[in-house]
Amino acid sequence: MKIVVIGAGAAGLLCAGGLAAEGHEVTLIEKNERVGKKLFITGKGRCNLTNACDVRTFLDNVVSNPRFLNSSIYGFTPSDCMQYFESLGVKLKVERGERVFPVSDKSNDIVKALEKYVLNNGVDLRLEESVTSVEIKEDAVSSVRTDKGLYYCDAAVIATGGVTYPATGSCGDGYKIARKLGHNVVAPVAALVPLITKGVDGLAGLSLKNVTASIEVNGKTVASQFGEMLFTHNGVSGPVILTLSSLTGRYCDKNGIYAKNSCICIDLKPALDRDTLDARIVREISAAPKAQIKTLLCTLMPKSLVSVVISQSGADGELKASVLSKKQRESLVGVIKCIRFPLVSKERFEAGIVTQGGVDVSEVNPKDMQSKKIKGLYFIGEVLDVDALTGGFNLQIAFSTAMSVVRSVV
Ligand SMILES: Cc1cc2nc3c(=O)[nH]c(=O)nc-3n(C[C@H](O)[C@H](O)[C@H](O)COP(=O)(O)OP(=O)(O)OC[C@H]3O[C@@H](n4cnc5c(N)ncnc54)[C@H](O)[C@@H]3O)c2cc1C
């Protein structure tokens, strides 16, 4: 078959190479001057290409539409993916959290291996050419139009990515093409993204370890994560925050703005229950009864958080610790277990690692990624309404959905 693959990112490269290896006549069209621009910056330049976990664990890490991915992930598992890249000559290693990287720690080795795979299999690679539409005749794909010409084909694979980090080329073109073809696109929002909050003046750069951060909407905790986080000039970031941003997508509008009365709540001492924490404060007070409350609190938390805790608890930090009443201690304990920062929104698309939302998966066949509306039209990778947490899951989704097409196009 004559097939045009649109976008030479993770999904498009593997799909184009795989289809060409099966004997199809493949044209791969990429708007950038080189392939795999986003792939190159993944994993802080090291490319965490998959996660060496079993498929069930994998699907537990998928945030949007895990059931849709069932058959593609089982069809091309993380272990298949590792073997595949090893067969392309890239040696891999598994790190903490089962994250898989090239032994060289260079994402470029993954990009180069895929590029070589594509070219060795005879794919016609067109760089600096942008696809503007996919043309249809009698409910089937007939051609792909670019800013430079028209390509007649039997099938078109849309692998244009999402809308985050648009400087890498993924700026939402796939959504426009899909909409024009009558596909529904679930409103895209940034995910795995820092959050903008109020009340963080003076905290930028402070990082916290072993804390539990939760998001509360209308007084109800909707997601919690334990681990590391940090404060930015306008909010919060770090591993637990990125995860929370993905898990709470449904509580934001299409501009990434959270419902009113949302806040982020940080438990500085998740390992201690309230009584144990109170007992610890009592011990600190009897060890230094003349110390001011603000000095005493420095033994329990970073100095820059003390004034925030004091102001939220209503205590007078200048007073001697020994005058604290039980009620005042309870209030302090309450704040140490839950410092609240009003939550405004997600950061903008430019700062997001993945896009949540995209081509509505109810209109796509999960077995082969073919449109249920148009014969010969396929969607793979991040352009679909699928996304996962950090750990190599998003790239594996790109690779697995790509391989579903390779297996099924005959
Ligand atoms: C900073 C950062 C770090 C990340 N690190 C990791 C990680 O370590 N592990 C992980 O699993 N995931 C990671 N991700 C997520 C992962 O990179 C993406 O989920 C993945 O690249 C999606 O692959 P894709 O092929 O669907 O899209 P992309 O890789 O975005 O590729 C889409 C391609 O389509 C091209 N294109 C778009 N429109 C057109 C058009 N009209 N015509 C022609 N070409 C077009 C684009 O230029 C682009 O090259 C990271 C993301 C970012 C931003």
Side-chain angles (χ1 to χ4, degrees):
M1 278 172 74
K2 259 191 170 177
I3 304 169
V4 175
V5 178
I6 307 165
L13 283 164
L14 189 64
C15 187
L19 287 169
E22 294 291 318
H24 298 289
E25 194 182 321
V26 183
T27 305
L28 174 59
I29 304 176
E30 167 57 52
K31 62 153 63 155
N32 287 326
E33 70 295 350
R34 58 188 165 90
V35 304
K37 253 194 176 173
K38 186 173 274 181
L39 199 48
F40 185 73
I41 60 165
T42 55
K44 298 195 173 119
R46 300 202 299 135
C47 185
N48 175 198
L49 71 155
T50 186
N51 191 285
C53 62
D54 58 58
V55 174
R56 268 172 173 258
T57 312
F58 189 96
L59 293 169
D60 286 344
N61 281 275
V62 176
V63 179
S64 309
N65 296 310
R67 282 179 63 194
F68 172 80
L69 289 171
N70 219 29
S71 106
S72 61
I73 302 290
Y74 272 105
F76 188 69
T77 63
S79 141
D80 296 335
C81 181
M82 289 172 71
Q83 276 177 31
Y84 209 87
F85 277 94
E86 297 261 1
S87 79
L88 296 183
V90 187
K91 291 224 165 352
L92 302 175
K93 60 178 173 179
V94 181
E95 293 192 356
R96 186 175 55 91
E98 304 298 307
R99 291 164 193 245
V100 180
F101 295 89
V103 167
S104 64
D105 283 330
K106 289 193 179 112
S107 58
N108 203 32
D109 286 359
I110 301 290
V111 178
K112 288 287 157 216
L114 284 171
E115 189 176 24
K116 197 169 149 197
Y117 178 58
V118 157
L119 296 175
N120 284 352
N121 281 304
V123 171
D124 177 14
L125 174 61
R126 304 286 176 121
L127 297 173
E128 294 184 276
E129 189 162 346
S130 189
V131 171
T132 49
S133 63
V134 173
E135 323 258 298
I136 308 298
K137 252 191 203 153
E138 289 163 13
D139 292 334
V141 167
S142 64
S143 60
V144 168
R145 190 173 289 282
T146 73
D147 53 357
K148 293 188 177 158
L150 189 69
Y151 295 83
Y152 290 99
C153 56
D154 307 300
V157 184
I158 301 187
T160 46
V163 78
T164 45
Y165 267 69
T168 61
S170 53
C171 56
D173 286 358
Y175 304 148
K176 285 184 208 148
I177 297 170
R179 275 196 204 100
K180 258 201 232 167
L181 295 170
H183 270 272
N184 180 40
V185 174
V186 176
V189 285
L192 295 177
V193 68
L195 298 174
I196 298 177
T197 68
K198 292 184 185 156
V200 294
D201 293 348
L203 296 178
L206 171 67
S207 69
L208 301 173
K209 279 189 179 158
N210 302 324
V211 294
T212 297
S214 311
I215 288 186
E216 286 180 4
V217 178
N218 291 325
K220 239 179 132 184
T221 300
V222 296
S224 285
Q225 285 291 308
F226 172 80
E228 288 178 38
M229 59 166 285
L230 58 91
F231 289 89
T232 63
H233 69 288
N234 64 353
V236 284
S237 186
V240 300
I241 301 299
L242 298 188
T243 300
L244 287 176
S245 77
S246 279
L247 297 179
T248 57
R250 81 185 93 135
Y251 299 98
C252 320
D253 67 14
K254 63 180 181 355
N255 298 313
I257 297 173
Y258 278 89
K260 268 193 190 147
N261 304 325
S262 300
C263 69
I264 183 130
C265 162
I266 299 162
D267 181 350
L268 291 176
K269 300 286 171 201
L272 306 181
D273 64 21
R274 281 169 187 255
D275 289 344
T276 316
L277 181 55
D278 186 51
R280 163 117 189 249
I281 292 175
V282 170
R283 271 204 314 278
E284 298 282 349
I285 294 172
S286 40
K290 290 191 179 151
Q292 287 178 306
I293 293 170
K294 61 182 185 189
T295 313
L296 177 130
L297 287 178
C298 286
T299 61
L300 292 166
M301 67 192 71
K303 203 172 167 195
S304 47
L305 272 180
V306 168
S307 60
V308 181
V309 169
I310 285 177
S311 110
Q312 291 197 14
S313 71
D316 180 349
E318 306 295 321
L319 286 181
K320 277 187 193 157
S322 56
V323 306
L324 267 178
S325 65
K326 185 164 191 297
K327 207 166 167 212
Q328 286 168 322
R329 269 198 340 259
E330 271 171 12
S331 164
L332 266 181
V333 166
V335 177
I336 296 170
K337 297 285 292 170
C338 179
I339 313 181
R340 284 198 171 83
F341 298 93
L343 187 51
V344 181
S345 67
K346 291 181 167 183
E347 265 287 7
R348 65 214 190 292
F349 282 122
E350 282 77 0
I353 288 178
V354 282
T355 307
Q356 215 158 54
V359 172
D360 189 337
V361 296
S362 69
E363 299 175 351
V364 178
N365 185 333
K367 295 224 155 49
D368 62 0
M369 302 296 138
Q370 187 167 196
S371 158
K372 289 180 181 170
K373 296 176 165 226
I374 295 161
K375 196 168 170 279
L377 179 68
Y378 296 82
F379 296 98
I380 56 173
E382 209 178 307
V383 72
L384 287 161
D385 178 19
V386 289
D387 64 280
L389 299 178
T390 54
F393 304 103
N394 286 295
L395 280 173
Q396 176 71 42
I397 291 173
F399 297 139
S400 289
T401 51
M403 289 308 275
S404 294
V405 177
V406 173
R407 276 195 312 275
S408 65
V409 175
V410 280

